[in-house]
Amino acid sequence: MDQATANCGAPIGWEQVATAAEARVLIFGETHGTNEIPDTFARYVCAASARGGKTLVLLEIDASYADAFAAASDADDPRAELLSKMSKHWASTDGRASEAILEMMESLIELRQSGRALTIRPMAQMVGWPEMDSPEKLAAWLAEQPPTKIQQMGEDGLAEIIRTESEGFDRTIVLVGNVHARKAELTGLPGVQLMAMLVPDSISLIVLHDGGTSWSKTNGEARITDVFKTNAMNNVADSMAVGPEKQPAYPGDVPNFDGYVSVGAITASSPAMPSAETP
């Protein structure tokens, strides 16, 4: 292990996961809106990218921000670039727009600028739009679709970017919400093929925690929310592993992940640019 890797502070077990994920897609299925998960992800990427070769990081942020990502990746002040070119994103109350995510992106860009062969891109998109001659007609079409149809358009879009953008990289590391990272159908979305199910030979990790708080939007209201513990097996905090047995997302859930990342207790991270909705 070189000194750069030693300084990453990656979770216990990262080497076993990184070895299993070489030349493959590794998916982290997170709970949005925490401080701990983006930090853990950044430390893993730091260690994995130090193994050499080309690393692609894909984040569940609207793909329309690709140019902003590219500009920030080579900017003298990446944070200012990200804030100015993605102000609408950061002002949202979605946990993907948290201060912790912004800091994680800064950390990843610093790695790139230090000499790592590291590329960071956004990946959230919907595919399968019908051709309509006006936005009003498209909105009307969308309003008529069942939730499963809209969900599938999003899952297909995420998977399409992973499959196309991963070409030419030695490893691809993805951060998305844990619903997208599942490899088994979700009861509430019958028939929907989730993103991880559409990416051949991927490794999907459920990010487990010991409970705490997260920043989320529930019933239209953005606020700090109490979150129940998901780490039913009491895995050691700041550890990760890929194993022969599938992992459940929650106690009693159908096992559907290839491994886990355990981050311990979680705390809420509010939006990087609070909007008028923010308490």
Side-chain angles (χ1 to χ4, degrees):
M1 180 186 301
D2 63 25
Q3 190 59 40
T5 308
N7 291 338
C8 291
I12 299 165
W14 76 267
E15 290 175 290
Q16 183 252 353
V17 174
T19 298
E22 283 300 291
R24 300 171 72 180
V25 174
L26 179 66
I27 303 167
F28 283 61
E30 74 149 345
T31 297
H32 294 316
T34 76
N35 287 299
E36 292 71 21
I37 297 174
D39 173 70
T40 301
F41 182 80
R43 289 186 285 115
Y44 174 81
V45 171
C46 175
S49 63
R51 293 162 68 95
K54 296 170 63 178
T55 301
L56 173 65
V57 170
L58 294 173
L59 305 177
E60 191 190 351
I61 292 175
D62 198 292
S64 65
Y65 290 114
D67 288 345
F69 272 48
S73 291
D74 296 313
D76 292 335
D77 188 344
R79 183 183 179 91
E81 198 76 15
L82 291 168
L83 287 172
S84 65
K85 286 186 165 59
M86 298 174 58
S87 58
K88 184 177 180 180
H89 171 79
W90 299 119
S92 80
T93 49
D94 188 298
R96 293 172 293 169
S98 69
E99 175 65 28
I101 289 288
L102 178 57
E103 291 177 356
M104 177 195 76
M105 292 179 68
E106 289 183 85
S107 296
L108 297 177
I109 290 170
E110 287 175 5
L111 283 175
R112 170 184 166 82
Q113 294 184 346
S114 72
R116 298 285 174 85
L118 178 63
T119 300
I120 309 123
R121 293 177 183 162
M123 64 179 294
Q125 64 170 2
M126 295 177 70
V127 296
W129 298 95
E131 290 187 11
M132 296 285 183
D133 55 16
S134 73
E136 291 76 19
K137 288 184 179 179
L138 180 59
W141 179 85
L142 285 170
E144 294 173 354
Q145 305 310 305
T148 52
K149 170 70 172 179
I150 302 302
Q151 185 76 31
Q152 191 65 69
M153 291 169 67
E155 301 299 328
D156 290 343
L158 290 166
E160 179 181 275
I161 285 188
I162 292 176
R163 292 192 302 264
T164 57
E165 296 290 342
S166 295
E167 292 294 326
F169 286 90
D170 296 286
R171 65 190 66 83
T172 297
I173 309 171
V174 179
L175 182 64
V176 292
N178 57 38
V179 167
H180 308 300
R182 293 174 64 105
K183 288 188 172 180
E185 187 175 297
L186 191 63
T187 303
L189 294 168
V192 173
Q193 294 285 294
L194 300 167
M195 181 201 79
M197 300 165 68
L198 300 171
V199 181
D201 201 34
S202 62
I203 295 175
S204 194
L205 307 178
I206 177 65
V207 183
L208 303 172
H209 57 76
D210 294 332
T213 57
S214 71
W215 184 274
S216 62
K217 197 168 188 176
T218 306
N219 297 324
E221 179 186 2
R223 59 188 175 85
I224 293 175
T225 304
D226 291 329
V227 182
F228 293 110
K229 174 179 178 177
T230 59
N231 185 21
M233 299 300 292
N234 295 315
N235 296 297
V236 175
D238 206 28
S239 70
M240 60 194 305
V242 173
E245 296 184 2
K246 298 284 186 180
Q247 301 286 318
Y250 303 102
D253 186 29
V254 176
N256 54 87
F257 294 87
D258 301 304
Y260 71 86
V261 183
S262 177
V263 299
I266 55 173
T267 55
S269 178
S270 57
M273 290 179 60
S275 70
E277 297 178 73
T278 306

